[in-house]
Amino acid sequence: MSMSFSAVSVPSSVSRPSYLCSSAYQFSFGAPANYFRSGSGGRVVLHGGPLHLCRKFCGLKQWILENLHRQHQRKLGPTNEYKSFKNQFKDHSTDQSGSTLSHEDSNDQTSKITSELEESSLPSSQPHASVTEPTTSVESPSMPQTHSSKFLVECGEEPSLCIAVIGATGELARRKIFPALFALYYSGFLPENVSIFGYSRKNMTDEDLRSMIASTLTCRVDHQENCGDKMDVFLSRTHYINGGYDNREGMSKLNVLMKQFEGKSEANRIFYLSVPQEALINVACSLADNAQTLKGWNRVIIEKPFGFDVLSSHRLTQSLRSKFEEKQIYRIDHLLGRNLIENLTVLRFANLVFEPLWSRTYIRNVQVILSENLGVQAGRYFDGYGIIRDIVHSHILQTIALLAMETPISLDGEDIRNEKAKLLRSVRKLEPSDVILGQYKGSTRDKVDLFMNSLTPTYFAAALYIDNARWDGVPFLIKAGMGLIQHRVEIRIQFHRVPGNLYRERMGHNIDLATNELILRDTPDEAILVRVNNKIPGLGFKLDSPELNLLYKDKYNVEVPDSYEHLLLDVINGDNHLFLRSDELAAAWNILTPILNEIDKKNIAPELYELGGRGPVGAYYLWAKHGVRWAED
């Protein structure tokens, strides 16, 4: 007879000790008698729900390991085998009170327990006294090699999760991070044993922190059941730490507090560093030395910008890599959490109609547009960093990388990031002749120039070229600006004209109007549009280029989550494909460095444009130079 557990079977040739059915082993398997059922071929099959799964596996693993150990002892000779068996029998003949049973009593108790196993059920929570389970050493893959990360895996206990928001009283934490965490908790994406910690230098209490973030929390429109109750539970799991001005001491206090809320099993931690750039390295190093768990994985979220130039970015990366492994670092750009970005790979790799067209053979140009209107003002760090370091370096180049990369071997984050890095290394360095910079004319009355005290660009237009076989000669046109006429985020893929088009005389004076287009729009209304040529109904023979549209708000009656929710959930799940890896970071700086150097030398001056306008006039000349008809605003 053999015993089967899922796909694992124990052959009958392996001898079973008489104490296999003792109470200790019944606890390890954690299943009543009706979970042991006869299967075909003389097999005993373990059945039961997921609550019994871990205990069954641990008990079976214990039994297999001990059988293998006895076989090893048997090879050492009869004396060692006898001593091993004698010691094992002695250990398992001890009752829960610690008294030693006689040989006859042991046989009687074994028979009794075996009978109970066949006739009745025994609760899986029965005390485990006489048999000590082996300590399973697990090396945490996310810990630096300088730390010891062995811990005991407790069966039946879910891993705990601690999330620390460093800079908890800042605007980003209050408006975005805490509301995103609550939305994930409300929707059931956070474990029940999650704990949230706010860390800053202000003298506050837990209640002060809860009161501060309570006004920013809202429940989903599409399911508001028990909203108040869940909000109260979430706030009760939120705690505050005054880190003071010594981050090492503060992180040590955070570590002690986290341990109070973590279980005896695996304990995982996420640290969101919502701090100024000048404080980032000190906070990160203090965290690495004093607040990482040794019983699970640690993940650190870093906010952009990731350095000021190629040199400062390299220094930042080196400092972080000296304390963390690359897979622990999540460089976040909230614009990459939009549904449009996530849909790029789905649209391309899951639809046969698009993938064969995805090359220079059929695509004439690609336009990536991110324009913000008067309602979006520059942040305080913007003056000095500008739109190139803030938006183009991460969001725009990452969008192009996802759009134009080769097919990854899988959807694993590292496989996708490998292809993105290859693509970015293939992008030709920008030349000043392929770039137009702009800055809006500030207005004191509207307070839109509050932080604009230099020649920091607020508009960037450029033509990028990718030097590889797929995209050779195809211009990727970038337009990113603030204070423009419309808030718009979209990608437009224009295809070549039809060779020898029979209907060219019926398409009017501008044949470009008849060019097929695939439009992926995020704002103002998320949609997928396809522009096709079509005959207008009637007796005449006139052609039109209407848009076949998939408007998300009409098709899907769901609330679109905030981008921070999406990216935080990816961090929890360990999905890093939307986060910049250090080699992607370096490749992006290499593309932009020539232009940044020219700006620093004041060899390029931004062209002024009116607030609420269409941007610098020079951008239209740039499109014409590259033979591109720019999409109308």
Side-chain angles (χ1 to χ4, degrees):
M1 183 183 78
S2 64
M3 179 172 288
S4 173
F5 178 76
S6 296
V8 180
S9 63
V10 182
S12 57
S13 59
V14 178
S15 60
R16 295 202 301 173
S18 59
Y19 52 78
L20 178 60
C21 297
S22 67
S23 60
Y25 272 88
Q26 187 163 350
F27 170 78
S28 296
F29 280 91
N34 57 356
Y35 285 101
F36 290 80
R37 301 176 185 173
S38 298
S40 61
R43 301 165 66 91
V44 174
V45 183
L46 300 181
H47 292 270
L51 294 177
H52 298 287
L53 181 62
C54 185
R55 293 189 179 92
K56 291 177 182 178
F57 178 76
C58 289
L60 182 59
K61 181 177 69 174
Q62 172 87 0
W63 179 56
I64 293 173
L65 289 175
E66 291 194 2
N67 273 279
L68 293 175
H69 176 71
R70 280 195 302 277
Q71 291 181 6
H72 176 69
Q73 293 292 336
R74 192 173 294 118
K75 294 179 181 179
L76 299 178
T79 304
N80 288 339
E81 180 182 359
Y82 172 76
K83 291 181 179 180
S84 175
F85 179 82
K86 180 179 179 181
N87 290 335
Q88 291 173 3
F89 183 85
K90 180 179 179 181
D91 290 340
H92 292 280
S93 298
T94 306
D95 62 10
Q96 295 179 3
S97 63
S99 61
T100 302
L101 300 177
S102 65
H103 183 75
E104 291 79 5
D105 292 338
S106 176
N107 288 336
D108 293 342
Q109 182 165 336
T110 301
S111 301
K112 180 180 179 181
I113 294 173
T114 304
S115 177
E116 290 176 353
L117 180 63
E118 295 173 350
E119 298 175 1
S120 63
S121 63
L122 186 65
S124 60
S125 59
Q126 182 174 335
H128 179 181
S130 59
V131 177
T132 302
E133 295 214 8
T135 300
T136 304
S137 297
V138 180
E139 187 70 25
S140 174
S142 59
M143 289 297 299
Q145 295 180 358
T146 56
H147 291 280
S148 174
S149 56
K150 296 181 180 180
F151 58 92
L152 177 65
V153 177
E154 300 282 348
C155 284
E157 185 175 354
E158 293 293 329
S160 63
L161 176 63
C162 289
I163 303 175
V165 181
I166 314 299
T169 56
E171 184 179 6
L172 176 63
R174 289 187 290 107
R175 293 192 306 107
K176 291 294 185 179
I177 302 175
F178 284 117
L181 290 173
F182 171 67
L184 292 176
Y185 180 80
Y186 178 79
S187 301
F189 289 104
L190 295 184
E192 282 299 322
N193 54 348
V194 67
S195 298
I196 313 294
F197 300 88
Y199 178 102
S200 79
R201 293 176 174 177
K202 292 188 177 181
N203 188 17
M204 296 172 56
T205 64
D206 290 353
E207 290 304 322
D208 293 335
L209 177 66
R210 293 165 185 169
S211 176
M212 181 190 75
I213 66 177
S215 60
T216 67
L217 304 184
T218 58
C219 293
R220 290 285 186 216
V221 173
D222 51 352
H223 50 96
Q224 297 186 1
E225 301 86 358
N226 304 321
C227 177
D229 295 339
K230 289 188 177 182
M231 191 175 295
D232 291 339
V233 174
F234 176 81
L235 291 173
S236 69
R237 295 178 178 273
T238 305
H239 313 280
Y240 181 75
I241 284 288
N242 180 2
Y245 288 89
D246 185 348
N247 283 317
R248 295 186 179 275
E249 181 180 347
M251 291 299 171
S252 296
K253 292 194 296 184
L254 176 62
N255 182 48
V256 171
L257 183 61
M258 284 181 166
K259 286 182 178 179
Q260 297 177 8
F261 294 90
E262 293 173 340
K264 297 179 180 180
S265 182
E266 183 179 357
N268 303 318
R269 296 180 181 179
I270 294 175
F271 302 89
Y272 198 123
L273 305 190
S274 177
V275 298
Q277 291 295 303
E278 56 270 18
L280 181 58
I281 292 180
N282 179 267
V283 171
C285 292
S286 299
L287 183 162
D289 294 336
N290 299 281
Q292 294 195 86
T293 178
L294 302 180
K295 301 193 301 178
W297 49 253
N298 299 272
R299 292 169 185 161
V300 182
I301 304 175
I302 309 294
E303 271 283 348
K304 67 179 176 70
F306 313 112
F308 184 80
D309 52 24
V310 64
L311 182 60
S312 62
S313 178
H314 177 72
R315 289 173 179 170
L316 175 61
T317 297
Q318 290 298 102
S319 297
L320 294 174
R321 291 289 301 273
S322 68
K323 296 293 183 179
F324 302 98
E325 296 180 7
E326 179 65 45
K327 62 185 176 183
Q328 293 180 261
I329 304 171
Y330 288 73
R331 299 174 181 88
I332 190 172
D333 181 347
H334 72 280
L335 292 173
L336 295 175
R338 302 294 295 176
N339 190 63
L340 167 66
I341 303 300
E342 186 72 1
N343 206 25
L344 287 179
T345 53
V346 176
L347 186 71
R348 177 180 169 188
F349 299 125
N351 294 282
L352 183 61
V353 67
F354 293 125
E355 176 58 20
L357 307 179
W358 224 255
S359 71
R360 62 187 178 89
T361 305
Y362 297 100
I363 293 179
R364 182 181 178 189
N365 67 79
V366 178
Q367 303 174 20
V368 181
I369 305 167
L370 193 155
S371 63
E372 297 180 336
N373 56 18
L374 296 177
V376 181
Q377 297 185 12
R380 289 190 177 273
Y381 81 90
F382 190 89
D383 188 17
Y385 282 91
I387 199 164
I388 300 177
R389 295 176 172 94
D390 177 34
I391 293 178
V392 177
H393 176 264
S394 56
H395 175 64
I396 297 294
L397 292 183
Q398 283 287 301
T399 299
I400 292 175
L402 285 166
L403 179 73
M405 68 181 183
E406 296 297 319
T407 307
I409 61 174
S410 77
L411 292 178
D412 179 76
E414 292 304 320
D415 291 335
I416 294 177
R417 299 207 291 186
N418 288 340
E419 296 303 329
K420 286 195 297 175
K422 288 181 190 177
L423 191 284
L424 290 172
R425 287 195 293 269
S426 300
V427 176
R428 189 185 307 170
K429 290 184 179 180
L430 280 173
E431 298 294 335
S433 59
D434 291 332
V435 173
I436 296 294
L437 303 178
Q439 186 184 71
Y440 56 62
K441 296 178 182 179
S443 171
T444 304
R445 177 175 53 84
D446 294 329
K447 297 182 180 180
V448 293
D449 64 335
L450 186 60
F451 309 115
M452 302 308 301
N453 299 317
S454 68
L455 294 178
T456 303
T458 61
Y459 181 98
F460 177 86
L464 284 178
Y465 286 89
I466 301 172
D467 293 329
N468 64 18
R470 181 183 291 270
W471 298 109
D472 185 30
V474 178
F476 283 72
L477 284 304
I478 298 171
K479 173 183 175 181
M482 301 179 63
L484 299 176
I485 189 173
Q486 184 182 13
H487 184 44
R488 185 165 64 137
V489 180
E490 69 180 24
I491 301 168
R492 304 179 77 98
I493 301 170
Q494 292 186 350
F495 294 90
H496 287 297
R497 305 183 186 98
V498 176
N501 194 336
L502 296 175
Y503 300 97
R504 58 183 176 276
E505 296 179 357
R506 301 178 183 272
M507 292 179 177
H509 65 280
N510 191 350
I511 197 171
D512 282 335
L513 296 178
T515 301
N516 298 128
E517 275 189 304
L518 173 63
I519 305 169
L520 312 177
R521 179 177 297 158
D522 181 76
T523 302
D525 293 315
E526 188 171 0
I528 298 176
L529 312 172
V530 180
R531 186 186 296 278
V532 298
N533 297 315
N534 177 62
K535 177 185 175 299
I536 299 176
L539 297 177
F541 203 90
K542 296 182 179 180
L543 299 185
D544 188 22
S545 297
E547 294 176 347
L548 308 179
N549 74 74
L550 168 61
L551 197 60
Y552 277 60
K553 67 180 182 180
D554 293 339
K555 177 64 176 178
Y556 305 107
N557 186 25
V558 295
E559 182 182 10
V560 178
D562 183 77
S563 57
Y564 278 92
E565 299 174 37
H566 184 179
L567 294 174
L568 281 170
L569 183 60
D570 282 350
V571 176
I572 294 170
N573 293 333
D575 183 354
N576 55 13
H577 81 281
L578 291 177
F579 299 85
L580 279 73
R581 201 168 61 188
S582 59
D583 55 344
E584 297 179 71
L585 199 64
W589 281 118
N590 288 336
I591 297 169
L592 300 173
T593 292
I595 296 302
L596 294 174
N597 289 340
E598 293 297 313
I599 295 174
D600 293 340
K601 295 175 183 177
K602 302 188 185 307
N603 292 336
I604 302 179
E607 178 184 338
L608 295 180
Y609 61 93
E610 294 288 343
L611 279 167
R614 300 182 184 276
V617 176
Y620 293 90
Y621 290 100
L622 179 63
W623 313 143
K625 171 185 172 182
H626 292 275
V628 175
R629 176 183 63 85
W630 188 253
E632 294 295 329
D633 291 306

